[in-house]
């Protein structure tokens, strides 16, 4: 049988050395870093979902923008999320999304998604350390700080 198949290439390249970065110690550190790296022109316009990827020392490997949606929601494909987590060999993640309304209370859909990701992460020995909801003024809500993780 002489069939050709596609070659699969998986890569992760660091532009900034992870070991030189400061560790994320709490939700304040995470929210500050996420807000600093969020597009201020769109944070109040539409929902965006990102993941903060961490090594075993909670040092930041990178931030990946997973999805961009509409005014009141965005779709998150968990398969793509874990493809990124596994490709970067991350052992910890923080979930983050913005609420253009400025309302920081998580919706039931936010809670269900967080639980679903947490359950899947256990299969890969990946820790979901927090889920942060950001508002356009930099204020935030932490699932971990509020006992919802």
């Amino acid at each position: 049988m002489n069939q050709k198949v596609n070659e699969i290439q998986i890569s992760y390249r660091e532009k900034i050395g992870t070991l030189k970065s400061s560790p994320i110690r709490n939700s304040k550190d995470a929210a500050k870093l996420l807000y600093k790296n969020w597009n201020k022109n769109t944070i109040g316009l539409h929902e965006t979902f990102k993941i903060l990827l961490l090594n075993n020392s909670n040092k930041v490997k990178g931030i990946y923008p997973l999805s961009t949606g509409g005014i009141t929601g965005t779709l998150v494909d968990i398969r793509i999320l874990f493809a990124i987590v596994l490709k970067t060999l991350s052992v910890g993640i923080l979930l983050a999304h913005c609420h253009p309304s400025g309302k920081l209370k998580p919706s039931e859909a936010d809670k269900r998604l967080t639980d679903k990701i947490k359950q899947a992460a256990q299969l890969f020995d990946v820790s979901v350390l927090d889920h942060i909801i950001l508002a356009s003024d930099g204020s935030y809500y932490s699932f971990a700080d509020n006992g919802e993780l």
Side-chain angles (χ1 to χ4, degrees), residues 90-136:
S90 299
V91 297
I93 58 173
L94 281 100
L95 313 172
H97 76 282
C98 61
H99 276 179
S101 68
K103 183 180 175 186
L104 293 175
K105 184 178 179 188
S107 67
E108 286 304 313
D110 293 339
K111 292 175 185 179
R112 284 192 305 274
L113 177 63
T114 303
D115 287 340
K116 190 173 181 180
I117 293 170
K118 261 185 66 179
Q119 289 175 19
Q122 290 175 341
L123 296 172
F124 298 111
D125 290 327
V126 171
S127 298
V128 178
L129 302 174
D130 206 343
H131 185 162
I132 305 255
I133 299 172
L134 285 175
S136 60

Side-chain angles (χ1 to χ4, degrees), residues 27-43:
S27 64
K28 184 178 179 181
D29 289 349
K32 185 177 175 182
L33 179 67
L34 286 160
Y35 185 71
K36 184 178 177 183
N37 288 278
W38 217 282
N39 184 337
K40 305 306 180 285
N41 295 324
T42 61
I43 193 169

Side-chain angles (χ1 to χ4, degrees), residues 1-105:
M1 190 180 274
N2 214 6
Q3 292 182 330
K4 291 186 177 188
V5 295
N6 292 322
E7 178 182 334
I8 305 295
Q9 183 178 24
I10 298 173
S11 67
Y12 165 72
R13 189 175 357 152
E14 286 188 350
K15 291 182 181 177
I16 302 167
T18 300
L19 298 178
K20 295 177 184 173
S21 70
S22 298
I24 298 295
R25 291 181 287 275
N26 52 47
S27 64
K28 184 178 179 181
D29 289 349
K32 185 177 175 182
L33 179 67
L34 286 160
Y35 185 71
K36 184 178 177 183
N37 288 278
W38 217 282
N39 184 337
K40 305 306 180 285
N41 295 324
T42 61
I43 193 169
L45 180 62
H46 55 76
E47 278 200 24
T48 303
F49 191 98
K50 299 183 181 193
I51 52 174
L52 184 68
L53 303 149
L54 303 168
N55 73 5
N56 202 37
S57 299
N58 286 350
K59 292 191 176 190
V60 178
K61 297 184 95 161
I63 299 172
Y64 186 82
L66 195 62
S67 70
T68 298
I71 297 168
T72 60
T74 189
L75 295 176
V76 175
D77 190 321
I78 294 177
R79 295 165 294 193
I80 295 173
L81 185 152
F82 282 101
I84 301 305
V85 171
L86 296 173
K87 183 182 284 189
T88 59
L89 301 175
S90 299
V91 297
I93 58 173
L94 281 100
L95 313 172
H97 76 282
C98 61
H99 276 179
S101 68
K103 183 180 175 186
L104 293 175
K105 184 178 179 188

